[in-house]
Amino acid sequence: MTDHTDDTTGTGEGQKPEQKTTGEVIHFNPWRDFNDAPLQEDPFGIEPDPAQLGTFLDVVFGYCEGLIPVRGFVDKGQGRDGKPNNIWIDADGAAFDKLKTFATWAWREGAALYVIPGTVAAQGQARAHEVLQMQAIVVDLDAGDIIAKLAHLVHHLGAPTLVVESGGRTPEGALKLHVWWKLTEAATGEDLATLCRLRGDIAMKVGGDTHFRSAHQPIRVAGSVYHKGGFQRLVQIREHHAIEVDLADFGERVAAMPFIPGMGAEPPAEGHAKPSIDAILTTPVHEGGTDAWTRFEGASAAIGHYVRLVHEGKLSPNDGWEAICQYNAAMLRPAWPVERLQQEADRIWALHVKKNGPALLRNEADPEQEAQPLPVFSFGQLLDDRSPMPPDIIAPRVLTPGGLLVLGGAPKVGKSDFLISLLAHMAAGVPFLGFTPPQALRVFYLQAEIQYHYLRERMQQIRLDGAVIAGARDNLFATPKLRMILDDKGLALVVEAVRVRFPDAPPDIICLDPIRNLFDGGEEGGGENDNNAMMFFLTERVERLREAVAPDCGVILAHHTKKMNRKAVGEDPFQALSGASALRGFYTSGLLMHRPDEDSTMRRLEIELRNGPALQPKLIDKENGRWVEINPMNERLVRQDVGAKHDAERDRKGDVILNLIAEQGMQGKMYTPTQFAAKFENRASLGGKTGILDRLQVLATNGHVKYVRGDGARTLGLKVAGVKYGYLCVKDMLLRSDAEAVDADTGEVGPVLLKVCPTDFMCPQTGVMLPVENPDVWVDREDLE
């Protein structure tokens, strides 16, 4: 962005034509008095004014939403250089502090502080068509009789909200001014176009800066410091009035305002525009400027038109050059030399690529291939063709050459985590949950959801075998979160990125994650729920990307699902995919991940194939950071909620029994299994004696309960005669004895607690009693398994 506001001409900044500067002596015209001397600037104490910054921010952005494009340029004439600094700040309550911080930096670095007086949607945007909202009309008075122009504006348009001294001076020494009128609300859409037109009309009528007809024209920020030519001046608010104007009413005042004779000119009539491209391409133009436009203007417009078609991939480079030559021969009288035509085409191409990014070049068509008839085969030919099938990209028939796989899932279900693991295994040539690549695959992962640092963190957290990591290291390329849509420009950027990362051979898989963040519905602007918009995205974006990179590669699209109850998802899982039904009719295979039970971490992976036999759904889960497949035979298929309640009740009874055995030991009591069941029948909700014995047997089989028999029982002072299985004991059990002991620290007298060590355990295979190897080490069978 250039500073159209403060560029000056003449003898110098702040000097009158009669003055000459020699060394440090200023010579005055003796016929002028001292009141005509140039203003003397104070080089000290000029700092940004926070109060004026706040006022400016309220007038220009108080009603706007979005991002404010802020620019810092080193002012000319200071004998110092510096790169421009661009930031985007949210137009919210924190905007003032951020703008004040940036203004302080600019003042310290000798930089001018500019903003585009409107908001945009995303960082990096600053062009005219990217400005979405504006709420103030401004005119830049930078030449001529500025005082007369200001009076004319006030008389016809009313008092302005702000009058700002920009810091610049005219050759006559007058202060340059920015005059602002704040609107009652932010202008968008057609109102925004009207606002910009009014800015241009006002400038035309009073001789202001007409660059402000464009929405992206920057302007200095009031309260910042002007440094141009080595002078420091405050960009000063001269007047501030709490005035707001209605856009329609203000437009009527502008239309009624006359132009200043000798200073302004009538703006062009409403609707005046450049000739259409159809008129350019069909109207001959002669040399000498005798037509509505010159040969140069016509040639530039025609070349620009065909350059744009080639850049967007709608024409091949050869076809585009042929069209330019045909225009030159048919419409330019006389035609340009081919050398000049080529030079102008190269110049416009370079500018277009610089402005719009890499081109999406269409491959040249093969003339022989074009001449071939439409392929049609008889039923018999298809039956007789026994040639080998092309190998799957991901077997079995999950992703076939030229196929499209859609992976659907609700947010936070683990879809991206699963996808990263799948792509890493495919890139390493290693099977994953039954999905098998023929060899190590080249994968380009275009993801637009996870920012760089969180993407690398997630990839580092996924547990992968060393062979997978080594194989995928140079075969899998991923993008961090992108702020782009897959339009013509985005498509060109992606194609260029793929070609750079895979210069020797094209990728085998291109993955887009998710559709929603990259979706482009075409000129109609339809969303994901529009069938026409979805078909446009699939055919004109996804398929064009595949054609430009590798026609036989496989494409994977990650997609969200809509809210549906579990019963509906179970009946027809792929109806849960968000958006238009055209997507389901277009893809060749689908995977849908969902949770059958919200309380369980287990996921169910539904599989739908068009190019192969149906595959059974898979039950998958993460264990120790790795995705694993679960045997469905181990899972309940019906009455899952009831079964889970019964499991919980059995676990509760087991815990109660273990606690009771330990508590009874602290009271000096130990029981055989039969006596324990008889003692605690129908207590603590344990049920009958048989149920308690069954639970004890389960606990003993799992090693949670063991037994004390023989010498072990005698050591504890327990009876041995008539005891078949022995006494029940649990881990870390203590038995209260009749003996007493004195605490050496407190002097308290208490019972002696004896450690209970098991002598026997129940064999989990036969149920017979076996001696324990080491009574001091408690072993649970579940821990061993």
Side-chain angles (χ1 to χ4, degrees), residues 423-424 427-428 441 466-478:
L423 296 179
L441 304 178
V468 174
I469 295 174
R473 180 175 292 274
D474 297 321
N475 278 341
L476 171 58
F477 289 89

Side-chain angles (χ1 to χ4, degrees), residues 44 93 118 198 304 361 532 571 586 630 757 784:
F44 305 103
L198 292 179
L361 297 180
N532 292 330
E571 291 174 354
F586 196 88
I630 300 172
C757 295
L784 289 177

Side-chain angles (χ1 to χ4, degrees), residues 127 160 201 259 282 300 324 497 615 748 778:
R127 288 179 285 192
D201 290 354
F259 70 95
T282 58
S300 296
I324 291 172
L615 296 179
E748 295 181 359
W778 188 280

Side-chain angles (χ1 to χ4, degrees), residues 298-312:
S300 296
I303 292 172
H305 170 69
Y306 291 118
V307 160
R308 184 168 59 255
L309 294 180
V310 173
H311 187 273
E312 294 173 356

